[in-house]
Structure formats: structure tokens, C-alpha cells
């Protein structure tokens, strides 16, 4: 089972890489890698599914209830942020910020009177193997993808041949990898607690 899971995750990462390259193969130098690309839809899917899996764990594990609820809320906020163009177009400009604030308010209400239980719950999650994978994905999204996606870096490297799409592919591709790692961590956590229920 261990090797099978590893193989499944390898296939998943390979499929994600192939899906990221589809727009490039289809549109060549006209590819944009914007909010309407397959890459962005992958990020939406991964963040939404991760949110649902963390919510599943929060309902099954009293020890991780707070930590997994916080993780679910974080992924919900990231999902909303990734969907900002749709909200701007169909609701109003800057709607994503209002939705994120609403999620934050719900989290504060949920945690009211339980603030001292936050650290022990997070500490318990940190003991789980999926914590490392989650952290790797989170740092990849918020740190590495942003640093590798700096326009100044790509302008310096490419000079007069600078193409914004190359910067976009690198930044969005790395970001999608980060979301995939978080999704894998959420799957691992959900599987672990599903096994506990059957024991």
C-alpha cells in the first residue's frame, strides 16, 4: 500500500504537470496562463478539495478539530482569492476581500472561548506526517512561487527577448505544485483518520 500511494502521487504530479503544459501546446506564444486557464482551474480544484478534506477531519477528530478547521478556513480563503476575477466580474470589484473577511469572522466566532486550545491542537497536527507536506506546499505557494515569479528577475535573464508568459508559466506552475502538495497532505490526513474510525 505504501508503494502504491507513492506511485499514485507520482502519477498525480505528472498529470498536473501535463495539464499545466496543455495551454502552452495549444496557444504557443499566445498562451496567457491567466485566471481562465487550466492551471488556475487546477488551483481552484485543489484548494477547494483540500478545504473539504480538512473539514472532514475536523468532524471526525476531537483532538484536531480546531487545527483542521483552521486549515479548512485557510484553504477556503485561498480558494476565494484564486477566484477573485470571477467574483469581481459577477458580484462586485473587490468582492473576494469581503468573502475572506466573512470567513475570518466565522472562524473567530467558532473559536470564541477556545483560543487556549488552538496551540495544543496545532501541536498535535504537527506530529502527523502530513504536516510536513502541508508546510512544504504552503511555503511553495506563498514564498517560492512569488520569488521565482518576479518580473525583474525574468527581465534580467531574458533581456530584450523577455516574454511575460514565461514568468507566468513558472509562477503559476510552481503555485499549482504547492496546491497539489497541500491536497496530498489533506488526503493523507483524511485517510489516517478514516483508518482510525475503522479500527
Amino acid at each position: 500500500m505504501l508503494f502504491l500511494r507513492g506511485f499514485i502521487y507520482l502519477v498525480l504530479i505528472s498529470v498536473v504537470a501535463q495539464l499545466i503544459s496543455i495551454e502552452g501546446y495549444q496557444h504557443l506564444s499566445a498562451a496567457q496562463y491567466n485566471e481562465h486557464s487550466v492551471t488556475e482551474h487546477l488551483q481552484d480544484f485543489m484548494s477547494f478539495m483540500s478545504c473539504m478534506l480538512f473539514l472532514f477531519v475536523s468532524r471526525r477528530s476531537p483532538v484536531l478539530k480546531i487545527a483542521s478547521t483552521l486549515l479548512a478556513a485557510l484553504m477556503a480563503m485561498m480558494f476565494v482569492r484564486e477566484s477573485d476575477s470571477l467574483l469581481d466580474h459577477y458580484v462586485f470589484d473587490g468582492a473576494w476581500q469581503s468573502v475572506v473577511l466573512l470567513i475570518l469572522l466565522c472562524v473567530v466566532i467558532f473559536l470564541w472561548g477556545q483560543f487556549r486550545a488552538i496551540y495544543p491542537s496545532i501541536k498535535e497536527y504537527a506530529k502527523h506526517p502530513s504536516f510536513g507536506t502541508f508546510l512544504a506546499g504552503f511555503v511553495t505557494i506563498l514564498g517560492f512561487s512569488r520569488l521565482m515569479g518576479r518580473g525583474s528577475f525574468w527581465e534580467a535573464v531574458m533581456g530584450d527577448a523577455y516574454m511575460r508568459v514565461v514568468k507566468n508559466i513558472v509562477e503559476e506552475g510552481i503555485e499549482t505544485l504547492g496546491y497539489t502538495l497541500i491536497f496530498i497532505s489533506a488526503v493523507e490526513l483524511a485517510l489516517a483518520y478514516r483508518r482510525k474510525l475503522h479500527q
Side-chain angles (χ1 to χ4, degrees), residues 16 35 40 64-65 69 106 139:
V16 166
E35 287 82 2
E40 283 287 340
L64 288 184
K65 185 177 181 68
T69 300
C106 291
V139 169

Side-chain angles (χ1 to χ4, degrees), residues 94-199:
W96 73 270
Q97 294 160 328
S98 301
V99 178
V100 165
L101 285 173
L102 181 63
I103 294 168
L104 272 174
L105 179 63
C106 291
V107 170
V108 170
I109 291 168
F110 167 77
L111 291 173
W112 200 260
Q114 305 181 78
F115 292 111
R116 288 186 179 178
I118 294 172
Y119 180 71
S121 187
I122 292 173
K123 190 176 177 182
E124 189 63 33
Y125 175 56
K127 296 175 185 175
H128 197 279
S130 78
F131 173 75
T133 311
F134 174 84
L135 203 56
F138 191 68
V139 169
T140 299
I141 294 168
L142 293 187
F144 193 68
S145 71
R146 299 291 182 267
L147 291 171
M148 288 303 297
R150 286 174 297 177
S152 59
F153 168 69
W154 291 102
E155 285 170 16
V157 170
M158 299 174 79
D160 293 335
Y162 172 73
M163 291 174 66
R164 183 177 173 81
V165 67
V166 174
K167 179 199 92 70
N168 289 350
I169 290 168
V170 171
E171 184 173 359
E172 296 299 330
I174 293 171
E175 205 171 309
T176 308
L177 173 63
Y179 278 112
T180 307
L181 290 172
I182 289 176
F183 174 67
I184 288 171
S185 78
V187 168
E188 284 293 312
L189 190 63
L191 286 175
Y193 278 88
R194 191 167 176 270
R195 281 194 298 270
K196 276 192 177 182
L197 289 175
H198 290 291
Q199 285 175 356

